[in-house]
Amino acid sequence: MSAESTGQNEDYLRVLRRRFRDWRGSRPFWAGLLVLLSGFPIMYFPYANLQIGHLSLTMATTGGSGSLIIGVLLVVLGVSLWFQRHVRTFAGTAAILLALVSIPVSNLGGFGFGFVLALIGGALAISWAPGHDEAAVPSTYRTPAQTRALQDAAAQDTSLQNTAQQGAVPLHKGDAPEPAAAGSLNGAAHGEGDDLSGTTPTNGTNGRHSAG
């Protein structure tokens, strides 16, 4: 076996372990495993025959079929917790109830082994909750094309501002209109136009120019 094949196998195993760890973390794995294992002692002991020398010890009970049904149901519930995690509350509650029923039906729940495993697995299934995904952090990396597009947009905005400033007409201080005189305002208020000839009655000359 070459060094390259060894490195490839290690990478492949590392990828498999990482995928299995991700799959295990997204579901109540340990709860399903305990419930699954609890079904085997409950099914086995009522049909087991122990041979001690010439003495054959049979642990079968009248509820042998009930023990088989309870064990199969626990195995099914354990597999369901792995592949149907949305039924975890129902599966956990059912596992606890089946564990309690197995005490009088199946030799004290498989001599306590199946009862304890089903009880702990059911409690773990009920208490398990999916984790919250972390909020995605926006990336600050920009490709050269995006950077060039931003620079072009900034340059276009600058050119538009310069064009607008060049088309504007500059205002000087002397372009502002001068305020009207007080006399003209009074005359305009009385309905008379501004007459610069000095012949209006309001200037006191009655149409005559003062001499000298």
Side-chain angles (χ1 to χ4, degrees), residues 191-208:
E192 299 176 357
D194 291 339
D195 190 359
L196 299 179
S197 61
T199 59
T200 56
T202 57
N203 57 10
T205 58
N206 295 326
R208 298 177 183 178

Side-chain angles (χ1 to χ4, degrees), residues 13-33:
L13 292 176
R14 190 179 299 109
V15 171
L16 287 179
R17 286 196 300 268
R18 184 168 60 251
R19 289 181 179 178
F20 175 72
R21 185 169 59 250
D22 296 339
W23 178 83
R24 183 188 64 191
S26 62
R27 63 202 68 243
F29 175 78
W30 297 111
L33 181 62

Side-chain angles (χ1 to χ4, degrees), residues 3-202:
E4 293 182 359
S5 62
T6 303
Q8 291 177 357
N9 292 333
E10 291 179 356
D11 294 339
Y12 183 72
L13 292 176
R14 190 179 299 109
V15 171
L16 287 179
R17 286 196 300 268
R18 184 168 60 251
R19 289 181 179 178
F20 175 72
R21 185 169 59 250
D22 296 339
W23 178 83
R24 183 188 64 191
S26 62
R27 63 202 68 243
F29 175 78
W30 297 111
L33 181 62
L34 293 178
V35 173
L36 176 66
L37 294 178
S38 66
F40 293 106
I42 292 177
M43 287 187 296
Y44 172 75
F45 286 117
Y47 297 95
N49 295 323
L50 296 181
Q51 197 74 25
I52 304 176
H54 297 284
L55 179 63
S56 178
L57 180 60
T58 302
M59 291 178 289
T61 60
T62 56
S65 59
S67 301
L68 181 62
I69 293 174
I70 292 173
V72 171
L73 288 176
L74 287 173
V75 172
V76 172
L77 290 175
V79 176
S80 299
L81 287 172
W82 284 352
F83 298 100
Q84 300 291 333
R85 59 181 181 179
H86 59 276
V87 299
R88 60 185 182 276
T89 304
F90 167 76
T93 305
I96 293 174
L97 293 177
L98 289 174
L100 295 174
V101 173
S102 67
I103 294 178
V105 173
S106 179
N107 295 326
L108 298 177
F111 294 104
F113 295 106
F115 169 75
V116 173
L117 292 176
L119 205 63
I120 297 176
L124 290 177
I126 295 174
S127 62
W128 185 87
H132 299 285
D133 296 334
E134 296 181 357
V137 179
S139 176
T140 57
Y141 174 76
R142 298 184 183 277
T143 60
Q146 293 176 344
T147 305
R148 191 180 303 108
L150 292 175
Q151 292 177 354
D152 294 342
Q156 185 177 2
D157 293 341
T158 304
S159 62
L160 291 175
Q161 292 177 0
N162 293 334
T163 303
Q165 292 177 359
Q166 290 176 1
V169 178
L171 295 177
H172 301 284
K173 184 176 180 180
D175 296 337
E178 296 180 356
S184 61
L185 291 176
N186 293 332
H190 293 286
E192 299 176 357
D194 291 339
D195 190 359
L196 299 179
S197 61
T199 59
T200 56
T202 57

